[in-house]
Amino acid sequence: MKFFITKTISVSIATASIIANILAGSISAADLGIDSRGEIISSLDDQREVAVTIYNEQLALVKDLRSIQLKNGFNKLAFREVSAQMKPETALLRSIDYPKGFSLLEQNFDFDLLTPQKLLEKYVGKKVRIVNVHPTTGAEKIEDAIVLSVNNGVVLKMDDRIETGYPGRIIYDEVPKNLRDRPTLVISLNSGTSKQQALQLSYLTGGLAWKADYVAELDKDDKFIDLTGWVTLTNQSGTTYKNAKLQLVAGDVNQVRPAFQLQKRRSEIYALEKSAVASSVIEEGLFEYHLYTLQRPTTIANNQTKQVSLLSATKIPVTKQFLLKGHDHYYRSSYGNLGTKLKVGVFVEFENKEASNLGLPLPKGIVRVYKNDKSGNAQFVGEDSIDHTPKNEEVRLKLGDAFDITADKKQTNFKKATAFGKYNYAYTSSFEIILKNAKDEVVEVVVHEPIPGDWKMQESSHKHKKVAAGTAEWKIKVPADGEATLSYEVLVRY
């Protein structure tokens, strides 16, 4: 007993003074950041800084640094206002100032938030009080009740009767300990000091995402574009990150998923390198990914979409292409008429090179293209998505189908040919394509025909090129307000 008393007396005088003041009522536990659960409470008021690294596919790494005073020894710390979509198995709390003697024992993620419905659910089987107001006198009558069920309505046991749809107000004695007004990580830990210390909580979370968006403006002659890139951030994680140090990882980081989900193919990662046109972000390599760092802190509010400037480049040379594309099954049987007023696609292409005023690895995203009308008003003319595109590669965008350029196509002949050697089938097919141009200028239409098997062009009215093993290409000049006819015969064996 003497030993126990000696140890108790050896506790610091300051601690004894605090205990005495609490007993006297001059200091409350709440003043010390301790709630009725015996927890030390940490809110965003304690936050010194927060860093957020956002990956693709709704994943982010949060590093939340707070200044907190713990007791020397065992503590139960309630780390409030974390992400509601935290992956609790990834959470790691560490002491920056006093790591010696600091150890974690247990942690619980309380994301069951306080709402009237949740409160009612927690009181199933428990006693509440019902306040009923008299409609004429306004007098209040209070009755005890037991909550039997809250499925599709409230079922109450009141005295010797069962009530549903009871109109009264419900009074609860207390808030259950497992309900929180904010997402909270509750951590049991040992601290080697009672001094104020910097604690950093790191965790992965869903609900944060980013993507690249591009706006391109064509000049009046469709010869050049001005390109602006934006980073679009979306925060649906359930909390706000004030003055955050923001970093973005371009690429798809592999995550272990449940077996029943299909794995997505991962692609090579690219991002912006150093360039005079990069505006408010700095790029660096990270493993096999690329990391953007925003040069200034930014607040990412909950349920907010934010855009940050990524790049800006002007006078990028482009080429416009009209493309008619066929189908390989035309060469296996007799079809006759294959269609009239066939759509001709409209594409614009530019080279991602320094010589073209660009030369930047471009993160994947959507490119939206505009062009001014004769009054100078910008009009939307189409959009297309691009994949991660390294520098010195070509960017190709399909903007739509041409209105004034169409095609009529038919199969003029089909006959069986002699198959020999390794081939089981052989056919000779003849086709005629009439390209029509209602514009007041000459246009060039590129015709791509996917031809299956082993093929050989027998005859052609225009020079063709074998651009791939199964593709023949023609470039046909079509006069203004006129038409041009492409006819050819091809032998197919397979």
Side-chain angles (χ1 to χ4, degrees), residues 71-131:
K71 298 177 293 183
N72 191 351
F74 178 78
N75 294 264
K76 200 169 185 180
L77 173 63
F79 210 97
R80 286 165 45 86
E81 294 169 278
V82 296
S83 168
Q85 297 192 42
M86 171 197 286
K87 299 179 184 292
E89 66 276 13
T90 68
L92 176 62
L93 182 71
R94 63 192 183 100
S95 175
I96 305 298
D97 297 330
Y98 301 102
K100 186 176 181 180
F102 187 88
S103 62
L104 305 180
L105 304 175
E106 181 182 300
Q107 60 188 31
N108 300 287
F109 181 39
D110 293 341
F111 54 88
D112 212 1
L113 300 184
L114 177 62
T115 65
Q117 180 62 27
K118 286 290 184 181
L119 186 59
L120 193 58
E121 289 174 1
K122 297 297 182 183
Y123 266 82
V124 171
K126 298 180 181 179
K127 186 180 75 172
V128 296
R129 285 172 289 164
I130 307 297
V131 180

Side-chain angles (χ1 to χ4, degrees), residues 25 52 57 88 98 100 118 145 170 202 222 314 321 355 366 371 380 384 394 436 439 442 490-491:
V52 181
E57 298 187 11
Y98 301 102
K100 186 176 181 180
K118 286 290 184 181
I170 301 176
S202 303
D222 300 336
T314 59
Q321 183 187 78
I366 297 177
K371 183 176 179 178
F380 177 67
D384 201 1
E394 185 180 82
K436 300 178 180 180
K439 300 168 74 71
V442 177
V490 62
L491 171 64

Side-chain angles (χ1 to χ4, degrees), residues 327-333 335-336 338 408-414 428-434 449 451 457 459 461 474 485-490 492:
H327 298 281
D328 60 0
H329 64 269
Y330 295 159
Y331 299 88
R332 301 177 187 269
S333 184
Y335 284 92
L338 298 174
D408 297 340
K409 184 176 183 179
K410 64 182 178 181
Q411 188 183 57
T412 57
N413 194 21
F414 180 82
T428 299
S429 298
S430 300
F431 296 89
E432 180 182 85
I433 302 174
I434 302 175
E449 282 295 318
I451 306 175
M457 195 67 63
E459 297 179 9
S461 61
W474 292 266
T485 301
L486 167 65
S487 58
Y488 63 94
E489 181 180 274
V490 62
V492 176

